Amino acid sequence: MIMKIKLFSLLAVILAGCFTANAADDKWKHDIYVNQDGTGDYTTITDALEGVRAYMEYTVTVHIANGVYKEKIVIPSWLKNVVFEGESADGVVITNDHHANIDKMGTFRTYTVKVDGSDITFRNLTIENNAPQLGQAVALHTEGDRLHFENCRLLGNQDTLFTGGKNARLYFGNCYIEGTTDFIFGPATAFFSKCQIHSKRNSYITAASTPEDVEVGYVFDSCKLTSEPDVTKVYLGRPWRPYAHTVFINCDMGKHILPIGWHNWGKESNEKTSRYGEYGSKGPGAQGERAAWAKNPDSAEVKALLDLNKVFSNTTTWNPLEK
C-alpha cells in the first residue's frame, strides 16, 4: 500500500510538471492581439511586449486594434523578429508629448517609441509626438538594425525621426513623415521609398550625421516633398556632422524647396566633406541653381544607390523586400 501511494505521488508530480511546462509553452504565441476594449491578449502595447519571447528565431506578429495609445514604448534589444501590425495607419495612433525642455530631458529621451531591437517591422500605424513647439521632440528613435517601416505615419515638429546607430539599416516604404526643423536626423543608413516628406515650417528637412567611413546615409527614392501653404523656404538638408550623406533621386519637390537646396550649417569646412546631391528631381522645387559644393551622383552611382542589396551591405547583406 505504501509503495502504491509513493507511485501515485510520483505520477502526480510528473503530471503537474507536464502541465506546468505546457502552460509555460502556451505563454509564447506567434500572434498577439492588443485591443483597448479588453477583447485581445493585452490592452496596451507596452504590456504586449511581455508576451514576446527573448531572442526567438520565429516571427511574432503583434496585431494592434484601432485606438489612441498614449504610451512611451521601448522595444528592448533582446527582442527580434517582431512585426507590429496596426489595423489601419490612421486608426492606430501611438502618442506622447515629451519635449527636450521638460525637466532638462534633452533630445534623446523625448521619444514616443524607441527601438533598440533588430529585425523589427512596423506596418499600418502612426507614431506621434504631439508636444507643443517648445524644443526637440522625437516621435521615433531607432537604434536597432534591419528595421522596416511600411505604410506608417511619423508625426511631430522638431526632430521627429532620429535614426541612431552607426551601420544600422532602416527601410521606409510608403510612409508619411512630417516635421519642422531637422526632422529626419542621425547616423544610420536609411532608404525612403515613395514616402511623403511634409515640412510644417521654413527650416531644414534632414540633418544627417553619417560617419566618414559609412558610404550611404539617407537615400530618398521617388518621394514627394510637400509643405503647409505658408511654408516657402525649406532646405533639403544641412550636415549635423561633417560627412553627412543625403541623396534625393527622382523626387517631386514642391515650391517650398529653396533653389540653393543645401545649407552648410554655418561652417564652410562642411562644404568640403559633406556628401549631398540629387538626380532626376522634378517639380517647382527642383528649379534654380543648387549650392555649388553639392556633389550630384552620375547614372552609375544612382544605379548603385537604388540597389538595396548594395545600399544595405555595409555589414551583412540585407534586403527588406526579399523574404
Side-chain angles (χ1 to χ4, degrees):
M1 177 65 71
I2 294 174
M3 181 65 69
K4 288 183 178 179
I5 291 174
K6 288 184 177 180
L7 287 173
F8 279 123
S9 298
L10 178 60
L11 181 60
V13 170
I14 292 172
L15 289 174
C18 291
F19 284 128
T20 301
N22 289 335
D25 289 340
D26 287 343
K27 176 184 177 182
W28 310 112
K29 302 178 180 180
H30 286 240
D31 290 277
I32 294 173
Y33 294 87
V34 179
N35 199 322
Q36 291 176 323
D37 67 6
T39 59
D41 299 301
Y42 301 92
T43 57
T44 72
I45 301 166
T46 300
D47 287 344
L49 298 180
E50 298 301 319
V52 182
R53 196 170 194 172
Y55 302 114
M56 62 194 177
E57 295 302 325
Y58 59 90
T59 298
V60 169
T61 301
V62 179
H63 304 271
I64 308 170
N66 285 341
V68 176
Y69 298 82
K70 186 169 184 181
E71 303 185 45
K72 193 175 182 73
I73 299 171
V74 177
I75 313 297
S77 61
W78 55 85
L79 294 189
K80 66 175 187 175
N81 298 324
V82 184
V83 177
F84 293 89
E85 177 92 47
E87 184 178 349
S88 66
D90 293 334
V92 175
V93 180
I94 307 168
T95 186
N96 215 303
D97 56 4
H98 286 167
H99 60 79
N101 293 314
I102 296 176
D103 298 327
K104 299 181 180 179
M105 183 176 291
T107 302
F108 302 107
R109 287 187 287 271
T110 63
Y111 59 82
T112 297
V113 174
K114 183 182 181 186
V115 186
D116 288 329
S118 296
D119 297 300
I120 309 287
T121 296
F122 292 80
R123 187 180 297 125
N124 301 333
L125 52 78
T126 294
I127 299 172
E128 173 190 66
N129 189 322
N130 68 353
Q133 295 188 35
L134 298 174
Q136 297 91 332
V138 176
L140 173 63
H141 176 145
T142 69
E143 294 288 347
D145 187 24
R146 299 181 299 276
L147 306 181
H148 185 169
F149 298 84
E150 193 71 36
N151 194 34
C152 291
R153 299 192 309 150
L154 307 180
L155 310 182
N157 294 304
Q158 183 173 354
D159 293 358
T160 303
L161 169 60
F162 174 61
T163 62
K166 179 181 177 179
N167 287 320
R169 293 163 291 181
L170 300 85
Y171 179 87
F172 296 84
N174 299 295
C175 292
Y176 171 87
I177 306 170
E178 69 170 29
T180 57
T181 298
D182 303 333
F183 60 95
I184 302 173
F185 71 114
T189 297
F191 193 99
F192 301 84
S193 175
K194 299 179 181 177
C195 294
Q196 181 179 353
I197 311 299
H198 189 73
S199 295
K200 298 169 66 177
R201 188 198 296 169
N202 290 334
S203 199
Y204 312 86
I205 295 175
T206 66
S209 57
T210 321
E212 180 180 3
D213 60 342
V214 173
E215 185 176 354
V216 180
Y218 293 154
V219 177
F220 293 85
D221 171 35
S222 302
C223 293
K224 189 175 181 64
L225 279 53
T226 59
S227 70
E228 293 295 299
D230 60 340
V231 174
T232 59
K233 297 178 181 179
V234 173
Y235 292 89
L236 296 172
R238 59 176 179 170
W240 185 22
R241 294 293 181 265
Y243 292 90
H245 176 272
T246 301
V247 179
F248 289 83
I249 300 173
N250 300 325
C251 291
D252 187 350
M253 302 183 179
K255 63 182 180 180
H256 61 295
I257 301 299
L258 286 165
I260 196 171
W262 309 98
H263 192 278
N264 66 9
W265 207 311
K267 296 180 180 180
E268 289 188 11
S269 59
N270 285 335
E271 298 179 6
K272 299 178 181 179
T273 54
S274 61
R275 297 167 286 171
Y276 282 155
E278 59 191 301
Y279 182 94
S281 298
K282 58 185 178 181
Q287 309 304 316
E289 187 174 348
R290 293 291 196 239
W293 46 273
K295 306 173 182 66
N296 292 334
D298 59 29
S299 58
E301 291 170 325
V302 166
K303 184 177 180 180
L305 287 168
L306 295 179
D307 184 342
L308 296 182
N309 291 306
K310 292 183 179 179
V311 169
F312 292 136
S313 64
N314 47 338
T315 50
T316 58
T317 301
W318 178 60
N319 189 326
L321 302 185
E322 293 180 356
K323 295 183 179 180

